[in-house]
């Protein structure tokens, strides 16, 4: 599967996201406590811009007045009608057996950009080659596989 550089690690701080266009798809890339996850930015309900939704967690109660808030920032709520999905898996929480949003493999890699396809390109190599220069990049990138 092709890999696409979508950001430097510094571009997506913990608890934040970045919306990117990769190979004709709108994708949200999330940093959840230092781990990166990517979801298709299209809600399976009616196509809302899911990745622009609010992040939250789970609130459970063992007894009246005794609440526990867990998995902070791991649940994504669609801004259109409120369907919720797990950012880490794309799984829904109202019908987890049947409903999920497409998720993509994400990695953090220190690479030379010419080994990956920049996001939004999808072009084929032509027969002509321009003069090039060696470039060294020494920072980690967030890379999405599609
Ligand atoms: S379009 Fe997302 S909940 Fe309806």
């Amino acid at each position: 599967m092709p890999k696409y550089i979508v950001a430097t690690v510094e571009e997506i701080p913990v608890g934040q996201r970045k919306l990117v266009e990769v190979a004709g798809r709108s994708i949200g890339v999330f940093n959840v406590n230092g781990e990166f996850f990517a979801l298709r930015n299209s809600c399976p309900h009616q196509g809302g811009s899911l990745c622009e939704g609010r992040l939250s967690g789970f609130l459970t109660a063992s007894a009246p007045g005794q609440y526990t808030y867990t998995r902070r920032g791991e649940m994504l709520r669609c801004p259109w009608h409120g369907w919720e999905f797990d950012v880490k898996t794309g799984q829904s929480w109202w019908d987890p057996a049947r409903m999920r949003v497409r998720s993509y493999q994400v990695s953090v890699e220190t690479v030379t950009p010419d080994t990956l396809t920049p996001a939004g390109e999808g072009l084929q190599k032509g027969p002509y080659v321009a003069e090039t220069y060696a470039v060294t990049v020494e920072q980690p990138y967030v890379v999405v596989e599609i």
Side-chain angles (χ1 to χ4, degrees), residues 43 45-48 78 80-83:
C43 181
H45 180 216
Q46 291 183 349
C78 180
W80 282 20
H81 310 103
W83 286 18

